[in-house]
Amino acid sequence: MAAAPATITGQAQTYDVATSRHVVLASLLAWLLDACDFFIVLFTLDDVARSFHVSLQSILLAPTLTLLTRPIGAFLCGHAADRYGRKPVMIATIIVYSAIEILSAFAPNLAIFLLLRTLFGVALGGEWGVGTSLIMESIPPSWRGTASGILQAGYPAGYLLASLVFLLLPFVGWRGLFILGGSALLAAVYIWLRVPESPEWLRRRHDQSARATKPPSLWFIVRNNAALCVFAITLMAAFNFMSHGSQDLYPKIFLGLERHLPHPSITLIVVLYNIAAIVGGLFFGVLSQKISRQYSIALAAFLTLPFLPLWALSHSPFWLAVGAVCIQFCVQGAWGVVPAYLSELSPASVRATFPGLAYQCGNLIAASNALLQTALATWFGTGLAPAMMLTVGTAATVVLTLILLNARLYGRYRPIQ
């Protein structure tokens, strides 16, 4: 006689354990491969520039355009997922960004390549919010902190995967790497076969059909919760300054050009701090189930501050590695709580739209990070170290302040009404 499937009961709802695991794995896989595709572009910018016979400055428009269109994707894909369901939009988003990645490999010139990377940003921006809503609505509440850490660990894991795939560059060229990036289609197949629609979305749609009512619009939510929307976007801008400020210029510019480390040492440090980022996201995600989302984020942001001098002012490879590991453990540890935190702030009717849009609008504001840090470095005249410390330290302080202020004003959670 076959054993009954394991279940968990929470908040008057029963969750199938096997199904919940499939949802977590599928969302992680989608975000990991999404991040991998993005980093493949960053790693091959100079190769693409040589192929199109243009300057590196010209090709740098590609990641910039990708970042600029991410909020558009967050709104369009999130709105579609709130209306038509998480699963079909998730599958469509993965198919689109995988197809664009493959098409980018066959771009005949710079203009077509930039157009494709612009469209890629739409799909990239849409995937995170839809995946977050699917996972948080499909698992037991007691799993949310852990699942949040697992989901957000997909970003540094994608960075690591892209680093490994990049080793194939001499054999397949940059176009071959882009074609390999299209293997993210496998995540869409997995979701189609093994992941059901969000039970909460199905229940809400059934209730609305029974009452013959329409869900409130995003504009209605924003208009009636303006202060909280500003809070979420400001918080995510600080989060993105904290993340990009500690990563974007650190390997090539700071470690390579300013600290003069050899390429193998830089690669080892990058691998180590990405492993630390994955562990940090998982640690603080699990911790958030015990001490609340707010205090877990606040602790991670606070612990970032004393490690800044070790991270930026060290000169030996050993202490630079130790500082980078500590910083990324804390920075990405705070990020590990973000999916659960934003989902629990969001109203059910726009849960696929609100978290992703807040995240991507904050990311859009933080897109100036590299320019800001280089400008500060020039102004100080002492290299990147003080600029990086000031950027990351200020961002961590803002995150800490906003999180504690929100916790003081609204308690453990303050869902939007």
Side-chain angles (χ1 to χ4, degrees):
M1 185 174 179
T7 60
I8 293 178
T9 301
Q11 293 183 348
Q13 184 173 339
T14 300
Y15 300 86
D16 178 70
V17 172
T19 299
S20 296
R21 287 173 177 164
H22 283 305
V23 173
V24 173
L25 179 59
S27 298
L28 167 65
L29 187 63
W31 184 229
L32 184 155
L33 295 174
D34 200 340
C36 178
D37 287 355
F38 178 70
F39 281 111
I40 284 175
V41 178
L42 295 182
F43 292 160
T44 58
L45 286 176
D46 51 347
D47 301 282
V48 178
R50 283 194 298 269
S51 178
F52 291 144
H53 307 291
V54 298
S55 66
L56 183 59
Q57 287 72 23
S58 298
I59 209 68
L60 281 173
L61 277 172
T64 301
L65 291 171
T66 297
L67 292 175
L68 288 175
T69 53
R70 281 168 68 166
I72 299 173
F75 174 75
L76 294 178
C77 298
H79 181 69
D82 284 326
R83 184 169 183 179
Y84 302 111
R86 308 340 188 179
K87 180 177 177 177
V89 177
M90 184 81 159
I91 292 173
T93 301
I94 296 171
I95 291 174
V96 169
Y97 79 65
S98 300
I100 292 173
E101 191 75 359
I102 295 173
L103 289 173
S104 297
F106 298 96
N109 53 53
L110 177 62
I112 298 299
F113 183 80
L114 292 179
L115 174 62
L116 289 170
R117 302 322 298 177
T118 301
L119 296 175
F120 181 82
V122 177
L124 178 69
E127 192 280 327
W128 187 87
V130 178
T132 296
S133 62
L134 176 63
I135 194 172
M136 293 302 159
E137 292 178 344
S138 302
I139 63 173
S142 60
W143 286 27
R144 286 179 186 164
T146 304
S148 181
I150 292 173
L151 174 62
Q152 203 57 36
Y155 184 82
Y159 192 158
L160 272 179
L161 180 59
S163 302
L164 296 176
V165 171
F166 184 62
L167 297 175
L168 297 175
L169 180 68
F171 307 101
V172 300
W174 70 266
R175 295 182 187 273
L177 295 185
F178 279 52
I179 292 174
L180 288 175
S183 61
L185 281 169
L186 296 174
V189 175
Y190 181 70
I191 293 171
W192 178 52
L193 293 175
R194 305 307 299 267
V195 176
E197 180 57 82
S198 158
E200 184 174 331
W201 182 85
L202 290 173
R203 176 184 55 77
R204 191 166 57 253
R205 186 182 66 169
H206 178 269
D207 291 345
Q208 290 167 352
S209 298
R211 297 194 306 266
T213 58
K214 292 183 178 181
S217 66
L218 179 64
W219 171 242
F220 176 84
I221 297 294
V222 171
R223 185 181 60 190
N224 287 276
N225 298 273
L228 197 54
C229 291
V230 171
F231 162 80
I233 293 174
T234 305
L235 178 67
M236 295 317 299
F239 258 105
N240 278 285
F241 268 115
M242 192 166 62
S243 180
H244 288 287
S246 63
Q247 288 182 338
D248 291 2
L249 301 180
Y250 192 77
K252 283 192 174 183
I253 307 300
F254 180 71
L255 295 181
L257 298 182
E258 294 196 1
R259 291 296 185 259
H260 307 293
L261 296 189
H263 184 72
S265 297
I266 295 174
T267 301
L268 178 60
I269 291 174
V270 169
V271 169
L272 289 175
Y273 73 58
N274 274 291
I275 293 173
I278 294 171
V279 175
L282 294 173
F283 174 80
F284 285 99
V286 173
L287 185 64
S288 73
Q289 285 294 137
K290 303 180 182 299
I291 66 172
S292 87
R293 313 290 185 234
Q294 288 100 324
Y295 295 128
S296 185
I297 292 173
L299 177 61
F302 175 76
L303 291 177
T304 299
L305 300 175
F307 290 122
L308 290 174
L310 179 65
W311 168 67
L313 301 180
S314 299
H315 288 269
S316 73
F318 175 79
W319 289 114
L320 285 168
V322 172
V325 164
C326 293
I327 284 292
Q328 293 305 323
F329 177 84
C330 297
V331 169
Q332 300 305 323
W335 266 101
V337 190
V338 167
Y341 182 66
L342 285 183
S343 292
E344 290 166 342
L345 282 178
S346 175
S349 60
V350 290
R351 189 170 288 135
T353 307
F354 181 83
L357 193 57
Y359 171 19
Q360 301 302 348
C361 286
N363 193 54
L364 181 63
I365 295 171
S368 60
N369 167 76
L371 293 175
L372 175 63
Q373 286 186 322
T374 52
L376 287 173
T378 302
W379 186 49
F380 292 146
T382 54
L384 272 175
M388 292 192 308
M389 291 177 62
L390 181 61
T391 304
V392 177
T394 301
T397 302
V398 171
V399 168
L400 177 62
T401 303
L402 288 176
I403 285 292
L404 292 181
L405 180 62
N406 191 55
R408 180 69 179 270
L409 292 177
Y410 298 115
R412 185 178 176 88
Y413 303 117
R414 197 280 191 182
I416 303 176
Q417 302 299 321

